[in-house]
Amino acid sequence: MTNEDEGRAAAESEQESGTTGTGARVSADGREPSAGSAAGPPSERPDPEAGLATAEYAVATVAAVGFAGLLIAVLKSGTVRGLLENIISSALSI
C-alpha cells in the first residue's frame, strides 16, 4: 500500500468513526467543530431548553394578572353589580 492509499484509508476511517487522528470529533462534512460549538458528551452540552420553564411561568403570570384586571373591571361595572345584588337578595329572601 502506498502512502497516498494509507492516507486515504485513514481519512475514510476518521470520517466513519467521527473523529480525527487526534481523537477530536468532526462534523458530517469532515470539519472539526470550532471551540465555541456544543461539542463533547451530552452531559457537557448546554441544555437547549434551559430557562424555558421560567419563561413559561412569566408568560402565565402576566396572563393571569391581565385576566384579574379584566375581571375586576367587569365586576365594578354597574350592570354586573346590579345582577350580583339581585342574586344575593333573592338568595337571602328564600
Side-chain angles (χ1 to χ4, degrees):
M1 194 183 272
T2 66
N3 285 341
E4 187 177 306
D5 291 336
E6 288 175 2
R8 192 175 307 130
E12 288 173 0
S13 173
E14 289 171 0
Q15 257 187 336
E16 289 173 7
S17 68
T19 62
T20 64
T22 61
R25 299 291 301 168
V26 293
S27 60
D29 60 2
R31 292 181 297 163
E32 291 185 27
S34 63
S37 68
S43 61
E44 294 177 9
R45 293 184 192 144
D47 184 8
E49 295 184 4
L52 286 182
T54 303
E56 290 168 359
Y57 284 127
V59 169
T61 302
V62 169
V65 169
F67 183 72
L70 180 65
L71 188 60
I72 289 172
V74 168
L75 290 176
K76 283 188 171 185
S77 70
T79 307
V80 174
R81 183 175 286 192
L83 287 173
L84 289 175
E85 286 176 359
N86 287 338
I87 291 171
I88 291 171
S89 63
S90 67
L92 293 176
S93 67
I94 294 179

